[in-house]
């Protein structure tokens, strides 16, 4: 349950207290969404104290965090106040105040991963420049500042052309596709205009999307989770299959690219590397998240050490755990808001009801205060003896949903 600030002294007492449990260090997390919530769940197993900073009084992490400071993780004074109470400062979202994190680091605050990493990643264009400089293969890209520039990019890369906003993107909300030159200006408008800061990427006709969660410890040890396949619907992650059904050579290529990408960044924690697999067997980097990720939710049930526990181990300087799978296969299905308000809750609960009857299925509900269309409300993981079996179980769960709504 939530502790109030008055009853707990959450100041960092690394030096004046003997360690009785796993760690006395208080982990501060910028953001209290579902990732923060699942970090708190993992922390509770080892009695690690996690405090979160989030503007919503009833954010998903609030009910299970050791403490919740209500405030913006993008406000300098608030982040500085929060940092005073943390032994180590980490993030569950990259859209935080990187400049303040840099300042805090100069004052000796322990940020993991480093502010430099957050700064690079939160600007997707800067991220692309960074990774291409480090020799990591990625789709061609180019900054666009006006319609002329966008047309030049279209001439160079062809159509369809992917336009992206540099900042504040998630769940495809910063992406717009122009199928022809005539669609460029509407795509730009859909993203809020050139003032938002835009760039384009060459369209990648991938055969599969893959993701690799990579953990880096404070001693720079690196550990990679098995590559998974992610399936998106309208730019939002829908299903994750673990492990990905890919040849050994591709698995190695994907893991090596992910390892190399994370090695080029600074700081400890888990990172998710999103990749495209092309039909000629190339692996191209899409983007990196400097935190636990939707593609790693299955690890809670299917791996010896979940991505959330791994993140805590990494930022606290504990030995990294075993990322390998303890079940042959797992499939994760996101519970996205299908409708606003009550009707949406009703649909989700129908699905949850069915999942509770499926062997090997685990239901996660994030307890978000509001149901909105396409919002991630929860997820279901089915772990089992083979991909064929868990896929069939998921299919039957979803088929019933379709037939009922017809
Ligand atoms: P996330 O929620 O993963 O942070 P995001 O808003 O940052 O998403 P991206 O990961 O850039 O968005 O893109 C979302 C999806 O759009 C990708 O997973 C992929 O399916 C598709 N996509 C992105 N870039 C390209 C591209 N260059 N060519 C083809 N499809 C793409
Ligand atoms: Mg993204
Ligand atoms: Mg993405």
């Amino acid at each position: 349950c939530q502790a109030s600030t008055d009853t707990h002294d959450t100041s960092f007492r690394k030096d004046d207290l003997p360690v009785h449990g796993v760690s006395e260090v208080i982990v501060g997390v910028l953001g209290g969404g579902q990732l923060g919530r699942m970090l708190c769940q993992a922390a509770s197993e080892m009695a690690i104290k996690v405090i979160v900073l989030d503007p919503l009084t009833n954010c998903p992490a609030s009910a299970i965090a050791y403490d919740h400071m209500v405030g913006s993780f993008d406000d300098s004074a608030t982040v500085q106040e929060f940092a005073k109470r943390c032994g180590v400062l980490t993030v569950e979202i990259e859209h935080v105040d990187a400049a303040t994190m840099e300042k805090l680091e100069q004052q000796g605050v322990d940020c993991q991963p480093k502010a430099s990493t957050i700064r690079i990643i939160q600007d997707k264009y800067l991220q692309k420049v960074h990774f291409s400089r480090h020799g990591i293969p990625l789709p061609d890209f180019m900054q666009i500042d006006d319609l002329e520039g966008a047309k030049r990019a279209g001439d160079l890369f062809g159509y369809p052309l992917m336009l992206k906003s540099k900042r504040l993107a998630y769940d495809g909300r910063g992406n717009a596709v122009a199928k022809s030159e005539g669609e460029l200006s509407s795509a730009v408008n859909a993203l809020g205009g050139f003032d938002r800061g835009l760039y384009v990427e060459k369209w990648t006709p991938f055969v599969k999307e893959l993701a690799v969660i990579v953990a880096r410890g404070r001693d720079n040890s690196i550990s990679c989770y098995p590559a998974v396949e992610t399936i998106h619907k309208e730019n939002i992650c829908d299903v994750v299959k673990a492990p990905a059904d890919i040849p050994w050579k591709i698995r190695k290529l994907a893991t090596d690219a992910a390892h190399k990408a994370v090695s080029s960044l600074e700081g400890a924690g888990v990172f998710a590397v999103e990749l495209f697999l092309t039909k000629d067997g190339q692996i191209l980097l899409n983007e990196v998240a400097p935190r636990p990720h939707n593609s790693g939710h299955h690890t809670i049930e299917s791996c010896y050490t979940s991505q959330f526990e791994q993140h805590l181990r990494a930022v606290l300087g504990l030995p990294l755990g075993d990322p390998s799978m303890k079940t042959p296969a797992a499939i994760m299905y996101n519970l996205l808001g299908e409708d606003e308000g009550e009707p949406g809750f009703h649909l989700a609960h129908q699905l949850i009801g069915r999942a509770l009857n499926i062997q090997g299925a685990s239901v996660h509900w994030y307890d978000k205060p509001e149901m909105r269309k396409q919002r991630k409300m929860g997820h279901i993981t089915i772990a089992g003896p083979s991909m064929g079996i868990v896929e069939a179980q998921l299919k039957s769960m979803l088929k019933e949903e379709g037939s009922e709504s017809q």
Side-chain angles (χ1 to χ4, degrees):
C1 67
Q2 189 184 341
S4 84
T5 318
D6 306 334
T7 49
H8 287 279
D9 173 11
T10 49
S11 55
F12 181 36
R13 294 175 300 189
K14 194 178 174 185
D15 298 327
D16 51 299
L17 263 190
V19 176
H20 292 298
V22 176
S23 176
E24 300 284 344
V25 178
I26 288 170
V27 179
V29 182
L30 299 180
Q34 66 266 25
L35 301 174
R37 179 182 170 94
M38 290 183 270
L39 272 172
C40 292
Q41 286 167 338
S44 77
E45 288 183 12
M46 294 187 282
I48 290 168
K49 296 181 180 77
V50 173
I51 62 174
V52 301
L53 174 65
D54 194 279
L56 275 183
T57 46
N58 47 3
C59 67
S62 181
I64 43 178
Y66 179 67
D67 204 355
H68 169 205
M69 182 169 157
V70 180
S72 169
F73 42 74
D74 200 26
D75 176 74
S76 185
T78 312
V79 173
Q80 291 193 52
E81 200 48 45
F82 181 70
K84 285 186 195 152
R85 298 166 52 195
C86 311
V88 60
L89 188 65
T90 187
V91 299
E92 61 111 56
I93 179 167
E94 52 275 26
H95 309 304
V96 297
D97 182 355
T100 298
M101 283 179 78
E102 268 155 11
K103 203 158 114 190
L104 288 170
E105 274 178 354
Q106 280 159 16
Q107 293 164 9
V109 173
D110 184 10
C111 299
Q112 303 293 342
K114 295 290 165 207
S116 62
T117 296
I118 307 295
R119 182 178 278 291
I120 293 166
I121 284 181
Q122 66 182 199
D123 180 328
K124 288 168 92 170
Y125 175 73
L126 206 64
Q127 197 188 133
K128 291 264 142 81
V129 171
H130 171 89
F131 289 127
S132 71
R133 277 194 192 139
H134 282 84
I136 293 146
L138 33 88
D140 289 335
F141 66 100
M142 168 174 163
Q143 177 168 304
I144 51 167
D145 301 312
D146 51 31
L147 209 53
E148 283 314 304
K151 283 180 186 164
R152 272 198 305 279
D155 290 343
L156 214 59
F157 299 158
Y159 292 91
L161 186 64
M162 178 61 99
L163 285 79
K164 293 191 181 182
S165 29
K166 292 180 174 179
R167 302 175 72 86
L168 298 174
Y170 73 101
D171 289 348
R173 275 165 226 222
N175 293 359
V177 181
K179 292 200 199 80
S180 62
E181 191 174 290
E183 286 186 11
L184 280 176
S185 73
S186 63
V188 168
N189 289 340
L191 295 180
F194 288 104
D195 291 346
R196 275 283 304 274
L198 305 181
Y199 77 102
V200 296
E201 277 178 24
K202 188 170 177 171
W203 186 257
T204 308
F206 52 80
V207 288
K208 272 181 186 168
E209 282 191 84
L210 306 174
V212 179
I213 304 272
V214 180
R216 182 162 64 205
R218 296 182 74 112
D219 57 357
N220 280 327
S221 54
I222 285 195
S223 181
C224 299
Y225 281 81
V228 299
E229 179 181 355
T230 58
I231 300 162
H232 291 74
K233 237 192 210 167
E234 292 168 37
N235 283 291
I236 306 180
C237 178
D238 181 40
V239 166
V240 174
K241 293 183 188 180
D245 181 16
I246 43 174
W248 177 86
K249 226 175 100 184
I250 301 292
R251 191 183 313 279
K252 176 154 171 38
L253 214 56
T255 311
D256 288 351
H259 189 292
K260 195 169 170 188
V262 172
S263 303
S264 75
L265 300 166
E266 292 182 296
V270 304
F271 300 79
V273 184
E274 299 179 10
L275 304 160
F276 298 128
L277 169 63
T278 64
K279 69 170 184 301
D280 56 349
Q282 273 192 80
I283 288 287
L284 302 178
L285 182 139
N286 174 25
E287 61 167 344
V288 174
R291 51 167 171 80
H293 190 255
N294 203 164
S295 64
H297 290 357
H298 72 94
T299 61
I300 297 174
E301 286 83 16
S302 73
C303 293
Y304 288 101
T305 304
S306 79
Q307 64 163 347
F308 298 102
E309 179 179 332
Q310 195 76 309
H311 188 72
L312 294 168
R313 286 180 180 234
V315 302
L316 286 168
L318 301 169
L320 294 180
D322 181 356
S324 56
M325 290 183 73
K326 59 185 178 190
T327 65
I331 197 159
M332 191 249 23
Y333 175 76
N334 266 343
L335 292 167
L336 299 177
E338 292 201 31
D339 213 337
E340 311 284 316
E342 274 314 309
F345 279 116
H346 180 68
L347 283 168
H349 286 133
Q350 276 186 338
L351 215 51
I352 289 171
R354 277 185 226 125
L356 290 172
N357 283 301
I358 292 177
Q359 237 190 354
S362 303
V363 174
H364 296 254
W365 185 252
Y366 308 145
D367 211 13
K368 293 193 177 175
E370 262 181 80
M371 163 75 73
R372 274 196 232 131
K373 253 192 172 153
Q374 298 294 76
R375 187 182 231 190
K376 288 173 181 166
M377 302 301 294
H379 74 266
I380 292 164
T381 298
I382 310 174
S386 75
M387 186 51 72
I389 289 173
V390 294
E391 254 180 312
Q393 284 171 312
L394 178 64
K395 211 166 153 190
S396 78
M397 185 180 100
L398 299 176
K399 203 156 80 197
E400 268 188 70
E401 178 193 33
S403 55
E404 267 185 30
S405 59
Q406 270 163 19

